[in-house]
Amino acid sequence: MITVLCGGVGAARYLAGVLQVVDPAQVTAIVNVGDDLELHGLHVSPDLDTVTYTLAGAINPETGWGLVGETWQAMETLGRYGGVTWFNLGDRDLGTHLYRTHRLDAGAALSTVTAEIVRAWGLALRVLPVTDDRVRTRVTVSGEGEIGFQEYFVQRRHAVPVTAVRLDGVEAATPAPGVLEALDAAETVVIAPSNPLVSIEPVLAVPGVRAAVAARRDDVVAISPIVAGSALKGPADRMLRELGHEASVVGVARLYRDLAGVLVVDEADADRAAAVEAEGLRCVVAPTVMSDPARAAALALVSLSPRP
Amino acid sequence: MITVLCGGVGAARYLAGVLQVVDPAQVTAIVNVGDDLELHGLHVSPDLDTVTYTLAGAINPETGWGLVGETWQAMETLGRYGGVTWFNLGDRDLGTHLYRTHRLDAGAALSTVTAEIVRAWGLALRVLPVTDDRVRTRVTVSGEGEIGFQEYFVQRRHAVPVTAVRLDGVEAATPAPGVLEALDAAETVVIAPSNPLVSIEPVLAVPGVRAAVAARRDDVVAISPIVAGSALKGPADRMLRELGHEASVVGVARLYRDLAGVLVVDEADADRAAAVEAEGLRCVVAPTVMSDPARAAALALVSLSPRP
């Protein structure tokens, strides 16, 4: 049994590697819902969908999110009315949001609906939202105050400095059914190469999850999303600096040292291995840039190989 | 000033005729909202949209509803999940429902949102939902009990006998801003050739509307939606019979005799003119089948010509 703590794109690519080397029925993804949003009356779960669509081979290669073969007719009509169009919703993708919203309105839990969606894409792994409760990542940006995560990430193209992150609702949230059990039963728990502050932290912050991960520290492997001081995608590097962390594998090691026994860092950071180990984690150096499925599978093998 | 009480398709075609012969800025459409529905979290207003899309020249000619150039990608995704697909929502059309839902969620009144949508389509007439409040037409069908109007109309293709119609919420509804004024100020009030029981009745039943129409009886012209005993579209003929009315221009005359001074009937019903007049309305015989824009304009002229 393998359990992976996940944000969106990086985690999805890593999971695609895992599914090449592990029986999918033995894999559980625990996914961030802090960047979910309600838009036009619909419940949108970007990280859950990115994981599902990527693993189904249906992710839109042009955008990196949404579905392949997408069209944008609904957005075009919305634009005619001067509606809110900064968060693009493709026509194919909309079907997922319609289904999710309908089921949630009918009283189904997000974890139940997610399982239905994942099954409909023919996937055998288990994908769990970290919680069925409402948690929303809110970001304070210079000069503007606090805004929703997607307002920061999409509307402002994460180009504005962040001074604080708050996880609205997290104190009252409880882990979704199966989350703590999946952490408890896993042979290895992996912290995927996702943004530590806005993808992984909203997972850990759900009461009970951080302690459950820490309790498995010897079997927890984190993969650094920072390579040679930069995020491969998104604002993780700037955000780390803006919030007082070091944008490096050592900064990542400091964030995860109470949770993970191993940090996998890219070969580009081989010279920082000793500094990582000085933080109390074993450092594994390996190619971490998952530019194709073979490299993702190789990273999965490295991260899941028995620890000494 | 011309004010028209409207359902969907028949009313939209009639209005298209009116706009050819009257300055659009002088025309107000008061539209049924009893067949509105909430679906997948979205607020759908079928009659408002049919009127708007038809007048904008954007109605889908293949379906008779929704938008021309439509695609069905969202529905295809929804079908993958086994979602609710009996009420088809095209991708282009979805943009309208997203916009309407977003604005209603933000606290805008349906009449405000409708005005915004109508303006965005470049239309100069005024389109008013009869009420900003929630009114839902519910239909009791044999053997099933009471169901929503669209469950009857679309899901069961109006192929099941109806034993009762109830307008849920209508007692507490108030006319939308401008509705009573438009009835009061109109030179002519027209009852469009729509289903009397499930399109026109939900308009009249909003407290204050029936009395406002009756007060203008001498200037109210109704157009029969029944031609030679049949509805041109939809179940009006069967529904009239099922609910104890005569499915004929005389049956229509009986329903409207307290409200309208004139009933326009098709030439096919010329032999019933005396029977109509025996009900106390003047009967005007004219071609009422609006198979093309010229015929719609001709019907508009007949219905709006000065009364003796």
Side-chain angles (χ1 to χ4, degrees), chain B residues 2-17:
Chain B
I2 305 296
T3 297
V4 184
L5 306 191
C6 299
V9 175
R13 288 192 185 165
Y14 174 74
L15 281 168

Side-chain angles (χ1 to χ4, degrees), chain A:
Chain A
M1 298 262 295
I2 305 296
T3 298
V4 185
L5 307 190
C6 299
V9 175
R13 288 191 185 165
Y14 174 74
L15 281 169
V18 170
L19 295 191
Q20 294 176 66
V21 301
V22 178
D23 173 6
Q26 301 299 313
V27 178
T28 300
I30 299 177
V31 182
N32 171 38
V33 293
D35 60 359
D36 284 20
L37 69 161
E38 288 81 29
L39 195 58
H40 320 297
L42 300 177
H43 184 111
V44 182
S45 294
D47 281 354
L48 285 169
D49 288 348
T50 293
V51 165
T52 303
Y53 295 168
T54 299
L55 297 180
I59 197 87
N60 190 335
E62 291 166 33
T63 55
W65 48 266
L67 285 164
V68 67
E70 195 55 281
T71 52
W72 308 95
Q73 296 237 68
M75 284 291 116
E76 194 180 302
T77 305
L78 197 54
R80 167 187 287 273
Y81 303 132
V84 174
T85 52
W86 58 262
F87 196 91
N88 254 320
L89 296 170
D91 299 323
R92 292 193 71 198
D93 191 29
L94 269 168
T96 301
H97 312 316
L98 295 176
Y99 180 74
R100 180 185 290 116
T101 303
H102 189 87
R103 294 284 294 130
L104 292 174
D105 285 353
L110 182 60
S111 53
T112 303
V113 183
T114 301
E116 293 166 354
I117 291 172
V118 167
R119 196 178 317 126
W121 285 101
L123 300 173
L125 88 162
R126 190 162 54 144
V127 178
L128 296 175
V130 63
T131 179
D132 285 328
D133 299 319
R134 191 180 186 284
V135 175
R136 291 295 177 271
T137 302
R138 308 271 304 166
V139 172
T140 303
V141 300
S142 303
E144 281 199 273
E146 191 178 83
I147 57 177
F149 179 74
Q150 299 298 348
E151 275 82 9
Y152 160 72
F153 194 77
V154 176
Q155 194 174 20
R156 289 159 187 76
R157 297 158 194 258
H158 49 74
V160 289
V162 171
T163 60
V165 173
R166 185 173 70 84
L167 304 173
D168 187 59
V170 79
E171 301 82 0
T174 55
V179 164
L180 296 182
E181 294 79 354
L183 292 169
D184 203 44
E187 191 182 330
T188 303
V189 174
V190 179
I191 300 178
S194 299
N195 187 317
L197 304 176
V198 292
S199 294
I200 300 300
E201 178 59 25
V203 172
L204 296 168
V206 172
V209 174
R210 191 187 308 275
V213 175
R216 301 299 315 279
R217 183 178 184 279
D218 290 350
D219 301 306
V220 176
V221 175
I223 302 169
S224 175
I226 300 291
V227 174
S230 295
L232 290 174
K233 189 174 174 302
D237 47 2
R238 276 183 292 115
M239 199 182 268
L240 281 166
R241 280 192 297 274
E242 288 159 4
L243 295 173
H245 305 282
E246 187 178 310
S248 73
V249 292
V250 177
V252 174
R254 286 176 192 143
L255 287 167
Y256 290 150
R257 64 184 161 196
D258 295 336
L259 300 169
V262 175
L263 182 66
V264 180
V265 307
D266 192 73
E267 291 173 321
D269 289 305
D271 61 338
R272 306 299 305 273
V276 166
E277 298 214 328
E279 299 297 331
L281 302 88
R282 192 160 74 82
C283 187
V284 172
V285 179
T288 66
V289 182
M290 296 174 282
S291 46
D292 60 45
R295 285 168 208 257
L299 178 59
L301 276 179
V302 166
S303 58
L304 300 177
S305 62
R307 283 160 298 290

Side-chain angles (χ1 to χ4, degrees), chain B residues 24-117:
Chain B
Q26 301 299 314
V27 177
T28 299
I30 299 177
V31 181
N32 171 38
V33 293
D35 60 0
D36 284 21
L37 69 163
E38 288 80 29
L39 195 58
H40 320 297
L42 301 177
H43 183 111
V44 182
S45 295
D47 281 354
L48 285 169
D49 288 348
T50 293
V51 165
T52 302
Y53 295 168
T54 299
L55 297 180
I59 198 84
N60 190 334
E62 291 165 34
T63 56
W65 48 266
L67 284 163
V68 68
E70 197 53 281
T71 53
W72 308 95
Q73 296 237 69
M75 284 292 115
E76 193 181 303
T77 305
L78 197 55
R80 166 186 287 273
Y81 302 132
V84 174
T85 53
W86 58 261
F87 195 90
N88 254 319
L89 295 169
D91 300 324
R92 292 193 71 198
D93 191 30
L94 269 167
T96 300
H97 311 316
L98 295 175
Y99 180 74
R100 180 185 291 118
T101 303
H102 189 87
R103 293 283 293 130
L104 292 174
D105 285 353
L110 182 60
S111 54
T112 303
V113 184
T114 301
E116 292 165 355
I117 291 172

Side-chain angles (χ1 to χ4, degrees), chain B residues 10-23:
Chain B
R13 288 192 185 165
Y14 174 74
L15 281 168
V18 169
L19 296 191
Q20 294 177 65
V21 300
V22 177
D23 173 7

Side-chain angles (χ1 to χ4, degrees), chain B residues 127-207:
Chain B
V127 178
L128 296 175
V130 63
T131 179
D132 284 329
D133 299 319
R134 190 180 187 284
V135 174
R136 291 294 177 272
T137 303
R138 310 271 304 166
V139 173
T140 304
V141 300
S142 303
E144 280 200 273
E146 191 179 82
I147 58 177
F149 179 75
Q150 300 297 348
E151 276 82 8
Y152 160 73
F153 194 76
V154 176
Q155 194 174 20
R156 288 160 187 77
R157 297 159 195 256
H158 50 74
V160 289
V162 171
T163 60
V165 174
R166 185 173 68 85
L167 305 174
D168 187 59
V170 78
E171 302 81 0
T174 55
V179 164
L180 296 182
E181 294 80 353
L183 291 169
D184 204 42
E187 192 182 332
T188 303
V189 173
V190 179
I191 301 177
S194 299
N195 187 317
L197 304 176
V198 293
S199 295
I200 300 299
E201 178 59 24
V203 173
L204 295 169
V206 172

